[in-house]
Coordinates of all heavy atoms in Angstrom, one line a residue:
G1 N 59.6 -4.0 1.6 CA 60.6 -4.0 0.5 C 60.1 -4.9 -0.7 O 59.0 -4.6 -1.2
D2 N 60.8 -5.9 -1.1 CA 60.3 -6.8 -2.2 C 59.7 -8.0 -1.7 O 59.4 -9.0 -2.5 CB 61.4 -7.0 -3.2 CG 62.6 -7.9 -2.5 OD1 62.6 -8.1 -1.3 OD2 63.6 -8.3 -3.2
V3 N 59.4 -8.2 -0.4 CA 58.7 -9.4 0.2 C 57.2 -9.2 0.4 O 56.8 -8.2 1.0 CB 59.5 -9.7 1.5 CG1 58.7 -10.9 2.2 CG2 60.9 -10.0 1.3
H4 N 56.6 -10.1 -0.1 CA 55.1 -10.2 0.1 C 54.8 -11.4 1.1 O 55.1 -12.5 0.8 CB 54.4 -10.4 -1.2 CG 54.4 -9.2 -2.1 ND1 53.2 -8.8 -2.7 CD2 55.4 -8.4 -2.4 CE1 53.5 -7.8 -3.4 NE2 54.8 -7.5 -3.4
R5 N 54.3 -10.9 2.3 CA 54.1 -12.0 3.3 C 52.6 -12.1 3.6 O 51.9 -11.1 3.8 CB 54.8 -11.6 4.7 CG 54.6 -12.5 5.7 CD 55.5 -12.2 6.9 NE 55.1 -12.8 8.2 CZ 56.0 -13.4 9.0 NH1 57.3 -13.5 8.7 NH2 55.6 -13.9 10.2
Y6 N 52.1 -13.4 3.6 CA 50.7 -13.7 3.8 C 50.6 -14.4 5.1 O 51.2 -15.4 5.3 CB 50.3 -14.6 2.6 CG 50.5 -14.0 1.2 CD1 51.7 -14.0 0.5 CD2 49.3 -13.4 0.6 CE1 51.8 -13.4 -0.7 CE2 49.5 -12.7 -0.7 CZ 50.7 -12.8 -1.3 OH 50.7 -12.2 -2.5
G7 N 49.7 -13.9 5.9 CA 49.3 -14.6 7.1 C 48.2 -15.6 7.0 O 47.2 -15.4 6.4
F8 N 48.4 -16.8 7.7 CA 47.5 -17.8 7.8 C 47.3 -18.2 9.3 O 47.7 -19.4 9.7 CB 47.8 -19.1 7.0 CG 47.7 -18.8 5.5 CD1 48.7 -18.3 4.8 CD2 46.6 -19.1 4.9 CE1 48.6 -18.0 3.5 CE2 46.4 -18.9 3.5 CZ 47.5 -18.4 2.8
P9 N 46.7 -17.3 10.2 CA 46.6 -17.7 11.6 C 45.6 -18.8 11.8 O 44.6 -18.9 11.0 CB 46.1 -16.3 12.2 CG 45.5 -15.5 11.0 CD 46.2 -15.9 9.8
R10 N 45.8 -19.6 12.8 CA 44.9 -20.7 13.1 C 43.8 -20.2 14.0 O 43.7 -20.6 15.2 CB 45.6 -21.9 13.7 CG 46.5 -22.6 12.7 CD 45.7 -23.2 11.4 NE 44.6 -24.1 11.8 CZ 44.7 -25.4 11.6 NH1 45.9 -26.0 11.2 NH2 43.7 -26.2 11.9
S11 N 43.0 -19.3 13.5 CA 41.9 -18.7 14.3 C 40.8 -19.7 14.6 O 39.9 -19.5 15.4 CB 41.3 -17.6 13.6 OG 40.8 -17.9 12.3
D12 N 40.9 -20.9 13.9 CA 39.9 -22.0 14.2 C 40.3 -22.7 15.5 O 39.3 -23.5 15.9 CB 39.9 -22.8 13.0 CG 41.2 -23.6 12.7 OD1 42.2 -22.8 12.6 OD2 41.3 -24.9 12.7
L13 N 41.4 -22.7 16.0 CA 41.9 -23.5 17.2 C 41.7 -22.8 18.4 O 41.9 -21.6 18.6 CB 43.4 -23.9 17.0 CG 43.7 -24.7 15.7 CD1 45.3 -25.0 15.7 CD2 43.0 -26.1 15.7
K14 N 41.3 -23.6 19.4 CA 41.2 -23.1 20.8 C 42.3 -23.8 21.6 O 42.1 -24.9 22.0 CB 39.9 -23.3 21.3 CG 38.6 -22.8 20.6 CD 38.7 -21.3 20.5 CE 37.6 -20.7 19.6 NZ 37.7 -19.3 19.3
V15 N 43.4 -23.1 21.7 CA 44.6 -23.8 22.3 C 44.8 -23.2 23.7 O 44.8 -21.9 23.8 CB 45.9 -23.7 21.4 CG1 47.1 -24.2 22.1 CG2 45.6 -24.2 20.1
A16 N 45.0 -23.9 24.6 CA 45.3 -23.4 26.1 C 46.6 -24.0 26.6 O 47.0 -25.1 26.3 CB 44.2 -23.9 27.0
L17 N 47.3 -23.2 27.4 CA 48.5 -23.6 27.9 C 48.7 -23.0 29.3 O 48.6 -21.7 29.4 CB 49.7 -23.2 27.0 CG 51.1 -23.3 27.6 CD1 51.5 -24.6 28.1 CD2 52.1 -22.8 26.5
D18 N 48.8 -23.8 30.3 CA 48.9 -23.3 31.8 C 47.7 -22.3 32.1 O 48.0 -21.3 32.8 CB 50.3 -22.7 31.9 CG 51.4 -23.6 31.8 OD1 51.2 -24.7 31.8 OD2 52.6 -23.1 31.7
G19 N 46.6 -22.6 31.6 CA 45.5 -21.8 31.9 C 45.3 -20.5 31.0 O 44.3 -19.9 31.1
V20 N 46.2 -20.3 30.1 CA 46.1 -19.1 29.2 C 45.5 -19.6 27.8 O 46.0 -20.6 27.2 CB 47.5 -18.6 28.9 CG1 47.5 -17.4 27.9 CG2 48.2 -18.1 30.2
S21 N 44.5 -18.9 27.3 CA 44.0 -19.2 26.0 C 44.8 -18.4 25.1 O 45.0 -17.3 25.0 CB 42.6 -18.6 26.0 OG 42.0 -18.9 24.7
I22 N 45.5 -19.2 24.2 CA 46.5 -18.7 23.3 C 45.8 -17.9 22.1 O 45.0 -18.5 21.3 CB 47.4 -19.8 22.7 CG1 48.1 -20.7 23.8 CG2 48.4 -19.2 21.7 CD1 49.1 -19.8 24.6
A23 N 46.2 -16.6 22.0 CA 45.6 -15.9 20.9 C 46.4 -16.3 19.6 O 47.6 -16.6 19.7 CB 45.9 -14.4 21.2
P24 N 45.8 -16.2 18.4 CA 46.5 -16.7 17.2 C 47.9 -15.9 17.0 O 48.8 -16.4 16.6 CB 45.5 -16.4 16.1 CG 44.2 -16.6 16.8 CD 44.3 -16.1 18.2
A25 N 47.8 -14.6 17.4 CA 49.0 -13.7 17.1 C 50.1 -14.1 18.1 O 51.3 -13.7 17.9 CB 48.7 -12.3 17.2
L26 N 49.9 -14.8 19.1 CA 50.9 -15.2 20.2 C 51.7 -16.3 19.7 O 52.9 -16.3 19.7 CB 50.2 -15.5 21.5 CG 51.2 -15.9 22.6 CD1 52.1 -14.7 23.1 CD2 50.6 -16.5 23.9
A27 N 51.1 -17.4 19.2 CA 51.9 -18.6 18.8 C 51.2 -19.5 17.8 O 51.6 -20.5 17.5 CB 52.0 -19.5 20.0
L28 N 50.2 -18.9 17.1 CA 49.5 -19.8 16.0 C 49.4 -19.0 14.7 O 48.4 -19.3 14.0 CB 48.0 -20.1 16.6 CG 47.9 -20.7 18.0 CD1 46.5 -20.9 18.4 CD2 48.6 -22.1 18.0
G29 N 50.3 -18.2 14.4 CA 50.3 -17.4 13.3 C 51.1 -18.0 12.2 O 52.2 -17.6 11.8
G30 N 50.5 -18.9 11.3 CA 51.3 -19.3 10.1 C 51.5 -18.2 9.1 O 50.7 -17.3 9.1
W31 N 52.5 -18.5 8.3 CA 52.8 -17.4 7.2 C 53.5 -18.0 6.1 O 54.2 -19.0 6.2 CB 53.6 -16.2 7.9 CG 54.9 -16.7 8.5 CD1 55.0 -17.1 9.8 CD2 56.2 -16.8 8.0 NE1 56.4 -17.5 10.1 CE2 57.0 -17.3 9.0 CE3 56.7 -16.6 6.6 CZ2 58.4 -17.6 8.7 CZ3 58.0 -16.7 6.4 CH2 58.9 -17.2 7.4
L32 N 53.5 -17.2 5.0 CA 54.2 -17.5 3.7 C 54.8 -16.3 3.3 O 54.1 -15.3 3.2 CB 53.3 -18.1 2.7 CG 52.6 -19.5 3.1 CD1 51.6 -19.8 2.0 CD2 53.7 -20.6 3.2
A33 N 56.1 -16.3 3.0 CA 56.8 -15.1 2.3 C 57.4 -15.3 1.1 O 58.1 -16.3 0.9 CB 57.9 -14.6 3.4
F34 N 57.0 -14.5 0.1 CA 57.5 -14.6 -1.4 C 58.4 -13.5 -1.6 O 58.2 -12.4 -1.4 CB 56.3 -14.5 -2.3 CG 55.4 -15.7 -2.3 CD1 54.5 -16.0 -1.3 CD2 55.4 -16.6 -3.3 CE1 53.6 -17.0 -1.3 CE2 54.6 -17.7 -3.5 CZ 53.7 -17.8 -2.3
K35 N 59.6 -13.8 -2.2 CA 60.6 -12.9 -2.5 C 61.3 -13.2 -3.9 O 61.7 -14.4 -4.1 CB 61.7 -12.9 -1.3 CG 62.9 -11.9 -1.6 CD 63.9 -12.0 -0.5 CE 65.2 -11.2 -0.7 NZ 64.8 -9.7 -0.7
P36 N 61.4 -12.1 -4.8 CA 62.2 -12.4 -6.0 C 63.6 -12.8 -5.8 O 64.3 -12.4 -4.8 CB 62.2 -11.1 -6.7 CG 60.9 -10.4 -6.1 CD 60.9 -10.8 -4.7

C-alpha cells in the first residue's frame, strides 16, 4: 500500500536458545516502516 518497510536483520549475531541456532528471520529481524 502506502507503507515502505525496511528490514535490518541482525545477521551478524549468532544467537542460540535451547540448542537452537536462531535464524535472523525467526527473532532477529529489525525493521522500520514509513507511512504518509
Side-chain angles (χ1 to χ4, degrees):
D2 63 352
V3 172
H4 288 228
R5 177 168 164 138
Y6 300 82
F8 287 88
R10 290 302 301 260
S11 55
D12 60 307
L13 297 179
K14 305 299 181 186
V15 179
L17 171 52
D18 295 347
V20 177
S21 180
I22 303 293
L26 181 67
L28 305 173
W31 57 271
L32 298 167
F34 288 74
K35 179 181 176 69

